Amino acid sequence: MSHAVQDKVFEPFFTTKEVGKGSGLGMSMVYGFVKQSGGHIKIYSEEGHGTTIKLYLPPARGQAEVEAPAPEPPRRGSEVILVVEDDQLVRNYVVTQLGSLGYKTIAVPDSRAALALVDKGEKFDLLFTDVIMPGGMNGRQLADEVRKRRPGLKVLYTSGYTENAIVHH
């Protein structure tokens, strides 16, 4: 792995794979898990020879419970969510995750398609939109337009960009 790749490997959505072959979320999720667990992660790499990634986690504290109480079943959603996301991999991932939680989804790649559904009278309970999208209308502008047609609609914004990138857009 080159030093340039090593510097970015833990960034969300960074991937060296071709389009459609990876979301770039795997290593950032591993990094988050390790840091939340109080550990650290180290990359050992020789370009052209191979890479080893080592996770260092603190030892467990206390004793393992013999019989853990049965967890409550997760709450299930029943609402319909309009997902607007230009990246197909991310859109598919979001739809899969929401579906696993019981939500019904309608997924579109851009603001134009979302507004066409709204104008057609499509029923949904929540607008889940990417903040920064190509095509001349960002997520906030889309939400403003949808709320003109459906006042009071709830909106959930999402983005793979850093806070600074969002503020500047």
Side-chain angles (χ1 to χ4, degrees):
M1 217 186 277
S2 71
H3 288 291
V5 169
Q6 288 181 45
D7 290 341
K8 294 181 179 181
V9 74
F10 297 118
E11 292 180 11
F13 303 108
F14 174 78
T15 183
T16 58
K17 296 178 182 177
E18 61 187 75
V19 174
K21 298 293 182 184
S23 66
L25 293 173
M27 291 306 294
S28 67
M29 291 174 66
V30 169
Y31 181 82
F33 164 77
V34 169
K35 290 300 179 183
Q36 287 176 357
S37 300
H40 64 279
I41 190 167
K42 179 71 177 154
I43 299 175
Y44 301 91
S45 185
E46 292 184 34
E47 194 167 356
H49 294 285
T51 300
T52 300
I53 299 177
K54 293 188 177 185
L55 310 179
Y56 298 92
L57 299 172
R61 296 187 185 109
Q63 296 180 356
E65 292 183 25
V66 176
E67 191 176 319
E72 289 187 33
R75 292 179 52 191
R76 308 281 297 167
S78 60
E79 294 81 6
V80 177
I81 300 175
L82 175 57
V83 176
V84 186
E85 169 59 57
D86 59 296
D87 185 307
Q88 183 177 355
L89 286 172
V90 175
R91 186 171 60 247
N92 291 344
Y93 179 78
V94 168
V95 166
T96 299
Q97 294 304 309
L98 291 171
S100 74
L101 296 170
Y103 295 100
K104 295 174 186 72
T105 56
I106 304 165
V108 296
D110 55 39
S111 298
R112 186 174 49 246
L115 287 174
L117 287 174
V118 171
D119 290 340
K120 192 174 81 173
E122 190 74 43
K123 302 277 189 226
F124 59 93
D125 303 294
L126 174 76
L127 173 62
F128 183 109
T129 183
D130 192 0
V131 175
I132 300 173
M133 293 185 290
M137 184 180 286
N138 65 34
R140 189 187 59 77
Q141 293 165 328
L142 170 63
D144 290 345
E145 285 301 314
V146 171
R147 282 186 168 153
K148 285 179 187 174
R149 294 160 170 91
R150 296 193 188 172
L153 179 73
K154 293 184 177 168
V155 178
L156 178 62
Y157 296 100
T158 184
S159 182
Y161 289 94
T162 64
E163 181 179 351
N164 287 341
I166 294 169
V167 168
H168 292 299
H169 286 87

